[in-house]
């Protein structure tokens, strides 16, 4: 799970902004954007850099512009990875304190809170650490659709348990989730005829590219935008 690629290209959190606002949902600080009375919601589950990452919030705003209420909770309780190169940063301790199992448990009350607000359909996207959380959620029927982007290492058992429409968007250069693993997962899911699924591998990009792309790299920006469009189209199709 803690592949070194997880920590590449950290965001500049000092430039955090966005069209939405920070509020509270199920006891968690949460970035909220989009129509608050929408019956359709999308939950974005961040990578290790957390809910304040500017590119993640920009993506949240884009999804919100399609009519979804988008929520990005702080599943790290104010303790995202900030400087993984610091001698004081203990990677093992951090992942122990912020396990994806805990993230999964924390996501359940967020989903319940959305439903209590009148939301009738929920999609979720998870990035890296968040992808590991989301594959667990996709094994329930608490949400209607999932998009898993460059996830941490998933297991065949987790994929076999998936019950809802699920898209996996992977990178060609990914040590945590190599393309050959993702393709195998795609075969497992496609054998289930009760829901739609697919796996797409993006050439020439690395783990984390969809939310950690270099703005100066035209190819990376184009590839990230393509992934964002694929994600949004999945939600438009399955979250109704």
């Amino acid at each position: 799970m803690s592949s070194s690629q997880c920590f590449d290209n950290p965001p500049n959190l000092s430039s955090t902004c966005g069209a939405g606002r920070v509020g509270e949902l199920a006891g968690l600080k949460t970035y909220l954007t989009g129509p608050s009375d929408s019956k359709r919601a999308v939950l974005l589950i961040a990578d290790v850099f957390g809910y304040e990452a500017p590119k993640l919030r920009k993506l949240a705003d884009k999804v919100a512009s399609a009519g979804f209420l988008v929520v990005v909770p702080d599943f790290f309780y104010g303790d995202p990875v900030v400087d993984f190169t610091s001698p004081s940063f203990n990677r093992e301790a951090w992942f122990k304190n912020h396990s994806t199992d805990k993230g999964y448990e924390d996501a359940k009350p967020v989903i319940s809170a959305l439903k209590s607000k009148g939301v009738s359909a929920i999609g979720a996207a998870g990035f890296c650490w968040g992808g590991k959380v989301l594959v667990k959620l996709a094994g329930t029927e608490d949400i209607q659709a999932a998009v898993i982007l460059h996830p941490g290492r998933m297991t065949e058992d987790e994929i076999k348990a998936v019950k809802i429409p699920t898209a996996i968007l992977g990178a060609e250069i990914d040590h945590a989730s190599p393309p050959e693993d993702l393709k195998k997962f795609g075969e497992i899911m496609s054998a289930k005829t009760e829901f739609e699924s697919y796996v797409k591998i993006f050439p020439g990009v690395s783990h984390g590219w969809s939310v950690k792309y270099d703005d100066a790299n035209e190819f990376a920006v184009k590839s990230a935008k393509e992934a964002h469009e694929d994600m949004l189209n999945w939600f438009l199709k399955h979250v109704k």
Side-chain angles (χ1 to χ4, degrees):
M1 171 62 221
S2 55
S3 160
S4 62
Q5 287 180 306
C6 290
F7 304 104
D8 291 346
N9 305 322
N12 177 8
L13 297 184
S14 65
S15 64
T16 293
C17 55
R21 63 182 180 85
V22 174
E24 194 171 286
L25 190 65
L28 295 175
K29 268 189 169 180
T30 301
Y31 180 70
L32 304 130
T33 182
S36 58
D37 59 348
S38 178
K39 301 296 182 192
R40 301 176 302 150
V42 168
L43 165 66
L44 298 187
I45 309 174
D47 61 15
V48 297
F49 295 108
Y51 87 124
E52 291 183 299
K55 287 186 170 84
L56 183 62
R57 290 195 176 182
K58 182 179 178 182
L59 179 54
D61 292 340
K62 176 177 180 171
V63 176
S65 69
F68 296 98
L69 168 62
V70 183
V71 298
V72 192
D74 177 14
F75 287 121
F76 303 137
Y77 297 85
D79 181 37
V81 173
V82 176
D83 182 6
F84 69 92
T85 62
S86 167
S88 63
F89 177 65
N90 184 322
R91 181 188 301 190
E92 287 70 28
W94 190 91
F95 277 103
K96 185 177 180 181
N97 289 335
H98 304 295
S99 71
T100 52
D101 286 337
K102 185 173 189 309
Y104 166 66
E105 293 300 331
D106 285 346
K108 291 181 187 176
V110 170
I111 292 165
S112 297
L114 287 170
K115 290 178 178 177
S116 73
K117 292 177 182 293
V119 170
S120 56
I122 301 170
F127 308 83
C128 186
W129 182 94
K132 277 282 292 177
V133 172
L134 182 50
V135 73
K136 301 174 198 297
L137 280 176
T140 73
E141 292 176 334
D142 294 339
I143 57 176
Q144 279 60 58
V147 181
I148 298 171
L149 299 97
H150 41 80
R153 194 172 298 279
M154 301 186 295
T155 67
E156 283 194 24
D157 285 343
E158 287 171 330
I159 295 296
K160 287 174 181 174
V162 169
K163 295 179 179 176
I164 59 169
T166 297
I168 300 177
L169 307 182
E172 180 185 11
I173 308 156
D174 195 326
H175 307 313
S177 287
E180 55 270 25
D181 287 1
L182 297 185
K183 288 173 183 173
K184 189 193 303 178
F185 294 159
E187 290 168 6
I188 292 170
M189 290 193 299
S190 64
K192 299 186 179 186
T193 55
E194 60 269 31
F195 61 83
E196 191 179 352
S197 64
Y198 78 94
V199 169
K200 179 175 176 179
I201 306 299
F202 286 73
V205 294
S206 300
H207 178 88
W209 97 96
S210 75
V211 284
K212 297 192 292 183
Y213 53 88
D214 178 358
D215 289 303
N217 184 329
E218 189 177 333
F219 178 81
V221 171
K222 182 181 177 185
S223 185
K225 284 184 176 177
E226 184 181 336
H228 300 164
E229 289 296 330
D230 290 344
M231 181 186 81
L232 181 55
N233 288 336
W234 195 251
F235 293 144
L236 289 169
K237 183 174 185 179
H238 293 290
V239 182
K240 296 177 179 178

